[in-house]
Amino acid sequence: MDDEKQEITIDLYTALEMENDIVEERAPEIEKNQKLGLLLGFLSVHDWDHAQLLFERLAQLNPVEHIEICHGLFRIIEKTISSAYSAYCQTHHKISRNIDTHMIDASSVSSPSYLVHPPKVFFQMLAVCGPYLHRDTQLFQKVCRVLKAYHASSKESAHTTGVMSPESHIEEALGSCLLPSLQLIPANPAVDMEIWGVLSLLPYEVRYRLYGEWEKDAEQNPVVLAARQTAKLDTRRLLKRLAKENLKQLGRMVAKLAHANPMTVLRTIVQQVEAYRDMINPVVDAFKYLTQLEYDILQYIVIERLAQGGRERVKDDGLNLSDWLQCLASFWGHLCKKHFSMELKCLFQYIVNQLKKGLGTELVVLEELIQQMANVQYTENMTDEQVDGMAGSETLRLQSSLFGSTRNYKVLNKSTNKLRDSLLPKDEPKLAIPLLLLIAQHRSK
């Protein structure tokens, strides 16, 4: 990593190849080690209680690393969720079959009651499994679907029986197993969509806390750490070659890296964008291949970069904003204009919180969003003709304020509506009014 000038051939599978080599070296251990053999025996007869005791005792040996033990654990997990998963499949099959009929037919297909209380051992198994669930992507997706069904069914029953919210169990499963495993699954958008289906059930505060813990926990596992370093090096090599001419091909390669290791890849890209303004347009164009999970992680990274201490937000002259902040704001404005799936609510909440503390430098992000998404240009020096033009109709105002740039009505209407709906949502607290009041107070200060 230190010497990037060396041309090292590294690809997405390097970390997994390293792991497989080590696992093969350690394979004879399981033949000679009686404790590991006993653990394998318990798993083969589906005796989870005794197997869990041994997993706890042998935690230092990392027994899940052994292929046989890992597959034995997968078989137990598969058996534990089999009834819940088959019920989930039947429910979805009935709903899809009745989708064209009356709504009562679809709503009458309710989740079975036992989905509300999946066995406690299921979450214990996932915690023991850790990042090694990447070895079976089919089981990974089944686990995600069962967690979604568990959330939906317990939500229905919570009104009548007062069942506790299942979110804490889902958080535990995501933090201990699903998110670490994602980093070791080579580019698979389908897996990304399944894990986003579970994450999207949680509020953004919980999701962002999980992302923060995910980064810290990854440092403890050598395999995950190797996958991260590989992804970081790959991303830097790709960004050096990214340009308008090769955007389609390299943009897809960037997205392919991001599918497997979104946190590391997107953080590396945002750091590069902060340093080089020229990279904003090519990177924004390349991001059209990302999934919804990656957009959510990207927003978390941008807010974290804004909140990060130790960097001056204003230049030494005390008047102009730092280059990194201007680049980050410009990048975010361009990105939200082009990709409508970004959730802006959390960023506006962050700006409100900063204004409450009396810090207004982050308002440059809001300014860029309004300029890019609503096309309200901020101009200090206007000619007399332009000022006269601003007194006319909409067409005349556009001609005098756009300075020759073209207007794409379709894209602009969508992005303007998105900005308005984020500030004035129908069912959630509206942030537009506190934002206006805080900006007015900040201006008087």
mmCIF file of all heavy atoms in Angstrom, residues 342-377:
data_model
loop_
_atom_site.group_PDB
_atom_site.id
_atom_site.type_symbol
_atom_site.label_atom_id
_atom_site.label_comp_id
_atom_site.label_asym_id
_atom_site.label_seq_id
_atom_site.Cartn_x
_atom_site.Cartn_y
_atom_site.Cartn_z
ATOM 1 N N MET A 342 -31.310 9.736 -3.838
ATOM 2 C CA MET A 342 -30.616 10.168 -2.631
ATOM 3 C C MET A 342 -31.632 10.649 -1.592
ATOM 4 O O MET A 342 -32.585 11.344 -1.925
ATOM 5 C CB MET A 342 -29.647 11.320 -2.938
ATOM 6 C CG MET A 342 -28.701 11.057 -4.086
ATOM 7 S SD MET A 342 -27.676 9.618 -3.853
ATOM 8 C CE MET A 342 -26.616 10.159 -2.556
ATOM 9 N N GLU A 343 -31.396 10.286 -0.333
ATOM 10 C CA GLU A 343 -32.273 10.727 0.767
ATOM 11 C C GLU A 343 -31.640 11.963 1.403
ATOM 12 O O GLU A 343 -30.589 11.881 2.035
ATOM 13 C CB GLU A 343 -32.409 9.612 1.805
ATOM 14 C CG GLU A 343 -33.428 9.924 2.868
ATOM 15 C CD GLU A 343 -33.482 8.837 3.942
ATOM 16 O OE1 GLU A 343 -32.794 7.818 3.791
ATOM 17 O OE2 GLU A 343 -34.205 9.030 4.925
ATOM 18 N N LEU A 344 -32.286 13.127 1.229
ATOM 19 C CA LEU A 344 -31.683 14.395 1.655
ATOM 20 C C LEU A 344 -32.037 14.784 3.088
ATOM 21 O O LEU A 344 -31.442 15.702 3.647
ATOM 22 C CB LEU A 344 -32.130 15.520 0.710
ATOM 23 C CG LEU A 344 -31.678 15.361 -0.753
ATOM 24 C CD1 LEU A 344 -32.358 16.392 -1.623
ATOM 25 C CD2 LEU A 344 -30.179 15.491 -0.857
ATOM 26 N N LYS A 345 -33.013 14.080 3.667
ATOM 27 C CA LYS A 345 -33.517 14.458 4.991
ATOM 28 C C LYS A 345 -32.409 14.508 6.041
ATOM 29 O O LYS A 345 -32.333 15.454 6.829
ATOM 30 C CB LYS A 345 -34.595 13.439 5.396
ATOM 31 C CG LYS A 345 -35.202 13.662 6.758
ATOM 32 C CD LYS A 345 -36.258 12.596 7.039
ATOM 33 C CE LYS A 345 -35.649 11.200 7.040
ATOM 34 N NZ LYS A 345 -36.625 10.148 7.370
ATOM 35 N N CYS A 346 -31.538 13.503 6.038
ATOM 36 C CA CYS A 346 -30.499 13.432 7.075
ATOM 37 C C CYS A 346 -29.474 14.560 6.921
ATOM 38 O O CYS A 346 -28.977 15.085 7.917
ATOM 39 C CB CYS A 346 -29.809 12.071 7.070
ATOM 40 S SG CYS A 346 -29.984 11.139 5.580
ATOM 41 N N LEU A 347 -29.174 14.954 5.675
ATOM 42 C CA LEU A 347 -28.224 16.050 5.466
ATOM 43 C C LEU A 347 -28.816 17.370 5.960
ATOM 44 O O LEU A 347 -28.123 18.174 6.593
ATOM 45 C CB LEU A 347 -27.863 16.152 3.980
ATOM 46 C CG LEU A 347 -26.730 17.118 3.666
ATOM 47 C CD1 LEU A 347 -25.392 16.530 4.086
ATOM 48 C CD2 LEU A 347 -26.683 17.481 2.202
ATOM 49 N N PHE A 348 -30.099 17.605 5.681
ATOM 50 C CA PHE A 348 -30.747 18.828 6.161
ATOM 51 C C PHE A 348 -30.781 18.860 7.688
ATOM 52 O O PHE A 348 -30.603 19.907 8.300
ATOM 53 C CB PHE A 348 -32.172 18.932 5.602
ATOM 54 C CG PHE A 348 -32.225 19.209 4.126
ATOM 55 C CD1 PHE A 348 -33.191 18.631 3.319
ATOM 56 C CD2 PHE A 348 -31.301 20.043 3.533
ATOM 57 C CE1 PHE A 348 -33.237 18.876 1.956
ATOM 58 C CE2 PHE A 348 -31.331 20.300 2.166
ATOM 59 C CZ PHE A 348 -32.303 19.711 1.383
ATOM 60 N N GLN A 349 -31.010 17.687 8.301
ATOM 61 C CA GLN A 349 -31.012 17.619 9.768
ATOM 62 C C GLN A 349 -29.639 17.978 10.321
ATOM 63 O O GLN A 349 -29.522 18.680 11.334
ATOM 64 C CB GLN A 349 -31.416 16.207 10.221
ATOM 65 C CG GLN A 349 -31.573 16.045 11.726
ATOM 66 C CD GLN A 349 -32.695 16.889 12.286
ATOM 67 O OE1 GLN A 349 -33.847 16.739 11.905
ATOM 68 N NE2 GLN A 349 -32.369 17.810 13.185
ATOM 69 N N TYR A 350 -28.589 17.521 9.649
ATOM 70 C CA TYR A 350 -27.215 17.853 10.075
ATOM 71 C C TYR A 350 -26.972 19.362 9.988
ATOM 72 O O TYR A 350 -26.394 19.961 10.909
ATOM 73 C CB TYR A 350 -26.209 17.097 9.192
ATOM 74 C CG TYR A 350 -24.781 17.561 9.393
ATOM 75 C CD1 TYR A 350 -24.072 17.218 10.548
ATOM 76 C CD2 TYR A 350 -24.146 18.358 8.449
ATOM 77 C CE1 TYR A 350 -22.773 17.650 10.740
ATOM 78 C CE2 TYR A 350 -22.849 18.797 8.642
ATOM 79 C CZ TYR A 350 -22.164 18.437 9.797
ATOM 80 O OH TYR A 350 -20.884 18.880 9.997
ATOM 81 N N ILE A 351 -27.428 20.000 8.889
ATOM 82 C CA ILE A 351 -27.245 21.446 8.724
ATOM 83 C C ILE A 351 -28.005 22.204 9.820
ATOM 84 O O ILE A 351 -27.497 23.178 10.388
ATOM 85 C CB ILE A 351 -27.694 21.894 7.311
ATOM 86 C CG1 ILE A 351 -26.767 21.296 6.252
ATOM 87 C CG2 ILE A 351 -27.696 23.415 7.186
ATOM 88 C CD1 ILE A 351 -27.228 21.488 4.818
ATOM 89 N N VAL A 352 -29.236 21.743 10.120
ATOM 90 C CA VAL A 352 -30.025 22.360 11.200
ATOM 91 C C VAL A 352 -29.274 22.264 12.530
ATOM 92 O O VAL A 352 -29.170 23.237 13.288
ATOM 93 C CB VAL A 352 -31.415 21.686 11.305
ATOM 94 C CG1 VAL A 352 -32.107 22.038 12.623
ATOM 95 C CG2 VAL A 352 -32.294 22.094 10.136
ATOM 96 N N ASN A 353 -28.712 21.079 12.813
ATOM 97 C CA ASN A 353 -27.979 20.883 14.073
ATOM 98 C C ASN A 353 -26.760 21.798 14.155
ATOM 99 O O ASN A 353 -26.449 22.335 15.220
ATOM 100 C CB ASN A 353 -27.541 19.423 14.221
ATOM 101 C CG ASN A 353 -28.716 18.486 14.376
ATOM 102 O OD1 ASN A 353 -29.827 18.929 14.656
ATOM 103 N ND2 ASN A 353 -28.496 17.202 14.176
ATOM 104 N N GLN A 354 -26.061 21.967 13.019
ATOM 105 C CA GLN A 354 -24.877 22.837 12.990
ATOM 106 C C GLN A 354 -25.281 24.298 13.211
ATOM 107 O O GLN A 354 -24.586 25.039 13.910
ATOM 108 C CB GLN A 354 -24.145 22.693 11.648
ATOM 109 C CG GLN A 354 -23.445 21.356 11.453
ATOM 110 C CD GLN A 354 -22.316 21.143 12.454
ATOM 111 O OE1 GLN A 354 -22.501 20.512 13.489
ATOM 112 N NE2 GLN A 354 -21.144 21.687 12.156
ATOM 113 N N LEU A 355 -26.396 24.708 12.603
ATOM 114 C CA LEU A 355 -26.860 26.090 12.773
ATOM 115 C C LEU A 355 -27.279 26.361 14.224
ATOM 116 O O LEU A 355 -27.097 27.464 14.731
ATOM 117 C CB LEU A 355 -28.036 26.379 11.832
ATOM 118 C CG LEU A 355 -27.669 26.580 10.352
ATOM 119 C CD1 LEU A 355 -28.916 26.578 9.488
ATOM 120 C CD2 LEU A 355 -26.901 27.876 10.152
ATOM 121 N N LYS A 356 -27.828 25.333 14.880
ATOM 122 C CA LYS A 356 -28.184 25.482 16.296
ATOM 123 C C LYS A 356 -26.935 25.761 17.137
ATOM 124 O O LYS A 356 -27.002 26.460 18.147
ATOM 125 C CB LYS A 356 -28.870 24.210 16.799
ATOM 126 C CG LYS A 356 -30.338 24.100 16.401
ATOM 127 C CD LYS A 356 -30.914 22.806 16.960
ATOM 128 C CE LYS A 356 -32.341 22.601 16.460
ATOM 129 N NZ LYS A 356 -32.851 21.273 16.866
ATOM 130 N N LYS A 357 -25.808 25.171 16.728
ATOM 131 C CA LYS A 357 -24.547 25.406 17.447
ATOM 132 C C LYS A 357 -23.909 26.735 17.052
ATOM 133 O O LYS A 357 -22.864 27.103 17.590
ATOM 134 C CB LYS A 357 -23.551 24.276 17.137
ATOM 135 C CG LYS A 357 -23.973 22.907 17.623
ATOM 136 C CD LYS A 357 -22.929 21.895 17.184
ATOM 137 C CE LYS A 357 -23.392 20.469 17.426
ATOM 138 N NZ LYS A 357 -22.451 19.489 16.838
ATOM 139 N N GLY A 358 -24.502 27.408 16.046
ATOM 140 C CA GLY A 358 -23.936 28.684 15.587
ATOM 141 C C GLY A 358 -22.881 28.525 14.512
ATOM 142 O O GLY A 358 -22.098 29.440 14.255
ATOM 143 N N LEU A 359 -22.822 27.346 13.867
ATOM 144 C CA LEU A 359 -21.840 27.095 12.798
ATOM 145 C C LEU A 359 -22.569 27.103 11.448
ATOM 146 O O LEU A 359 -23.458 26.302 11.224
ATOM 147 C CB LEU A 359 -21.163 25.735 13.009
ATOM 148 C CG LEU A 359 -20.474 25.551 14.370
ATOM 149 C CD1 LEU A 359 -20.055 24.107 14.569
ATOM 150 C CD2 LEU A 359 -19.253 26.462 14.468
ATOM 151 N N GLY A 360 -22.172 28.014 10.576
ATOM 152 C CA GLY A 360 -22.895 28.169 9.315
ATOM 153 C C GLY A 360 -22.099 27.849 8.068
ATOM 154 O O GLY A 360 -22.584 28.057 6.954
ATOM 155 N N THR A 361 -20.886 27.313 8.214
ATOM 156 C CA THR A 361 -20.073 27.060 7.015
ATOM 157 C C THR A 361 -20.681 25.979 6.123
ATOM 158 O O THR A 361 -20.508 26.002 4.910
ATOM 159 C CB THR A 361 -18.635 26.643 7.407
ATOM 160 O OG1 THR A 361 -18.714 25.672 8.442
ATOM 161 C CG2 THR A 361 -17.828 27.845 7.875
ATOM 162 N N GLU A 362 -21.419 25.022 6.746
ATOM 163 C CA GLU A 362 -22.010 23.939 5.947
ATOM 164 C C GLU A 362 -23.160 24.427 5.069
ATOM 165 O O GLU A 362 -23.669 23.658 4.255
ATOM 166 C CB GLU A 362 -22.498 22.811 6.850
ATOM 167 C CG GLU A 362 -21.428 21.813 7.255
ATOM 168 C CD GLU A 362 -20.663 22.261 8.485
ATOM 169 O OE1 GLU A 362 -20.900 23.396 8.942
ATOM 170 O OE2 GLU A 362 -19.825 21.488 8.990
ATOM 171 N N LEU A 363 -23.580 25.681 5.225
ATOM 172 C CA LEU A 363 -24.647 26.210 4.369
ATOM 173 C C LEU A 363 -24.238 26.220 2.902
ATOM 174 O O LEU A 363 -25.086 26.300 2.021
ATOM 175 C CB LEU A 363 -25.030 27.635 4.804
ATOM 176 C CG LEU A 363 -25.919 27.727 6.046
ATOM 177 C CD1 LEU A 363 -26.061 29.160 6.496
ATOM 178 C CD2 LEU A 363 -27.288 27.131 5.775
ATOM 179 N N VAL A 364 -22.933 26.125 2.642
ATOM 180 C CA VAL A 364 -22.472 26.054 1.245
ATOM 181 C C VAL A 364 -23.041 24.804 0.564
ATOM 182 O O VAL A 364 -23.314 24.807 -0.641
ATOM 183 C CB VAL A 364 -20.925 26.082 1.177
ATOM 184 C CG1 VAL A 364 -20.312 24.829 1.796
ATOM 185 C CG2 VAL A 364 -20.453 26.230 -0.259
ATOM 186 N N VAL A 365 -23.287 23.732 1.324
ATOM 187 C CA VAL A 365 -23.872 22.511 0.758
ATOM 188 C C VAL A 365 -25.318 22.790 0.330
ATOM 189 O O VAL A 365 -25.744 22.396 -0.761
ATOM 190 C CB VAL A 365 -23.827 21.349 1.786
ATOM 191 C CG1 VAL A 365 -24.415 20.093 1.184
ATOM 192 C CG2 VAL A 365 -22.407 21.099 2.252
ATOM 193 N N LEU A 366 -26.065 23.492 1.198
ATOM 194 C CA LEU A 366 -27.447 23.855 0.873
ATOM 195 C C LEU A 366 -27.493 24.770 -0.352
ATOM 196 O O LEU A 366 -28.350 24.626 -1.226
ATOM 197 C CB LEU A 366 -28.089 24.537 2.081
ATOM 198 C CG LEU A 366 -29.564 24.931 1.963
ATOM 199 C CD1 LEU A 366 -30.421 23.693 1.750
ATOM 200 C CD2 LEU A 366 -30.030 25.689 3.179
ATOM 201 N N GLU A 367 -26.545 25.701 -0.406
ATOM 202 C CA GLU A 367 -26.471 26.621 -1.560
ATOM 203 C C GLU A 367 -26.258 25.849 -2.856
ATOM 204 O O GLU A 367 -26.924 26.104 -3.870
ATOM 205 C CB GLU A 367 -25.325 27.611 -1.332
ATOM 206 C CG GLU A 367 -25.179 28.658 -2.423
ATOM 207 C CD GLU A 367 -23.903 29.462 -2.256
ATOM 208 O OE1 GLU A 367 -23.581 29.865 -1.127
ATOM 209 O OE2 GLU A 367 -23.213 29.675 -3.273
ATOM 210 N N GLU A 368 -25.356 24.879 -2.812
ATOM 211 C CA GLU A 368 -25.078 24.071 -4.019
ATOM 212 C C GLU A 368 -26.292 23.236 -4.411
ATOM 213 O O GLU A 368 -26.600 23.097 -5.593
ATOM 214 C CB GLU A 368 -23.867 23.154 -3.774
ATOM 215 C CG GLU A 368 -22.526 23.826 -3.934
ATOM 216 C CD GLU A 368 -22.193 24.147 -5.398
ATOM 217 O OE1 GLU A 368 -22.792 23.536 -6.302
ATOM 218 O OE2 GLU A 368 -21.332 25.013 -5.620
ATOM 219 N N LEU A 369 -26.997 22.672 -3.410
ATOM 220 C CA LEU A 369 -28.196 21.877 -3.704
ATOM 221 C C LEU A 369 -29.253 22.739 -4.387
ATOM 222 O O LEU A 369 -29.892 22.318 -5.353
ATOM 223 C CB LEU A 369 -28.765 21.269 -2.418
ATOM 224 C CG LEU A 369 -28.019 20.071 -1.825
ATOM 225 C CD1 LEU A 369 -28.603 19.691 -0.478
ATOM 226 C CD2 LEU A 369 -28.075 18.877 -2.763
ATOM 227 N N ILE A 370 -29.452 23.977 -3.887
ATOM 228 C CA ILE A 370 -30.458 24.862 -4.484
ATOM 229 C C ILE A 370 -30.029 25.275 -5.891
ATOM 230 O O ILE A 370 -30.841 25.316 -6.816
ATOM 231 C CB ILE A 370 -30.679 26.100 -3.569
ATOM 232 C CG1 ILE A 370 -31.349 25.655 -2.260
ATOM 233 C CG2 ILE A 370 -31.538 27.145 -4.266
ATOM 234 C CD1 ILE A 370 -31.395 26.716 -1.191
ATOM 235 N N GLN A 371 -28.735 25.556 -6.066
ATOM 236 C CA GLN A 371 -28.245 25.945 -7.395
ATOM 237 C C GLN A 371 -28.409 24.822 -8.402
ATOM 238 O O GLN A 371 -28.866 25.036 -9.525
ATOM 239 C CB GLN A 371 -26.770 26.354 -7.317
ATOM 240 C CG GLN A 371 -26.554 27.761 -6.796
ATOM 241 C CD GLN A 371 -25.145 28.248 -7.079
ATOM 242 O OE1 GLN A 371 -24.498 27.787 -8.026
ATOM 243 N NE2 GLN A 371 -24.652 29.180 -6.288
ATOM 244 N N GLN A 372 -28.028 23.604 -7.994
ATOM 245 C CA GLN A 372 -28.017 22.486 -8.945
ATOM 246 C C GLN A 372 -29.418 21.899 -9.149
ATOM 247 O O GLN A 372 -29.823 21.641 -10.277
ATOM 248 C CB GLN A 372 -27.069 21.378 -8.456
ATOM 249 C CG GLN A 372 -25.614 21.791 -8.398
ATOM 250 C CD GLN A 372 -25.042 22.117 -9.762
ATOM 251 O OE1 GLN A 372 -25.499 21.596 -10.782
ATOM 252 N NE2 GLN A 372 -24.051 22.982 -9.792
ATOM 253 N N MET A 373 -30.163 21.687 -8.056
ATOM 254 C CA MET A 373 -31.439 20.968 -8.160
ATOM 255 C C MET A 373 -32.600 21.880 -8.544
ATOM 256 O O MET A 373 -33.525 21.456 -9.215
ATOM 257 C CB MET A 373 -31.752 20.263 -6.835
ATOM 258 C CG MET A 373 -30.754 19.180 -6.480
ATOM 259 S SD MET A 373 -31.126 18.341 -4.946
ATOM 260 C CE MET A 373 -32.434 17.250 -5.439
ATOM 261 N N ALA A 374 -32.581 23.158 -8.091
ATOM 262 C CA ALA A 374 -33.684 24.071 -8.407
ATOM 263 C C ALA A 374 -33.289 25.104 -9.452
ATOM 264 O O ALA A 374 -34.118 25.897 -9.895
ATOM 265 C CB ALA A 374 -34.146 24.764 -7.133
ATOM 266 N N ASN A 375 -32.000 25.104 -9.827
ATOM 267 C CA ASN A 375 -31.477 26.016 -10.847
ATOM 268 C C ASN A 375 -31.662 27.488 -10.447
ATOM 269 O O ASN A 375 -31.896 28.351 -11.279
ATOM 270 C CB ASN A 375 -32.137 25.753 -12.203
ATOM 271 C CG ASN A 375 -31.233 26.226 -13.348
ATOM 272 O OD1 ASN A 375 -30.045 25.951 -13.333
ATOM 273 N ND2 ASN A 375 -31.796 26.943 -14.290
ATOM 274 N N VAL A 376 -31.597 27.757 -9.142
ATOM 275 C CA VAL A 376 -31.625 29.140 -8.672
ATOM 276 C C VAL A 376 -30.175 29.587 -8.532
ATOM 277 O O VAL A 376 -29.493 29.236 -7.578
ATOM 278 C CB VAL A 376 -32.361 29.240 -7.306
ATOM 279 C CG1 VAL A 376 -32.391 30.683 -6.824
ATOM 280 C CG2 VAL A 376 -33.769 28.706 -7.427
ATOM 281 N N GLN A 377 -29.688 30.314 -9.525
ATOM 282 C CA GLN A 377 -28.281 30.698 -9.567
ATOM 283 C C GLN A 377 -28.015 31.861 -8.620
ATOM 284 O O GLN A 377 -28.814 32.786 -8.515
ATOM 285 C CB GLN A 377 -27.874 31.083 -10.993
ATOM 286 C CG GLN A 377 -27.989 29.954 -11.994
ATOM 287 C CD GLN A 377 -27.044 28.803 -11.703
ATOM 288 O OE1 GLN A 377 -25.960 29.003 -11.172
ATOM 289 N NE2 GLN A 377 -27.458 27.591 -12.047
#
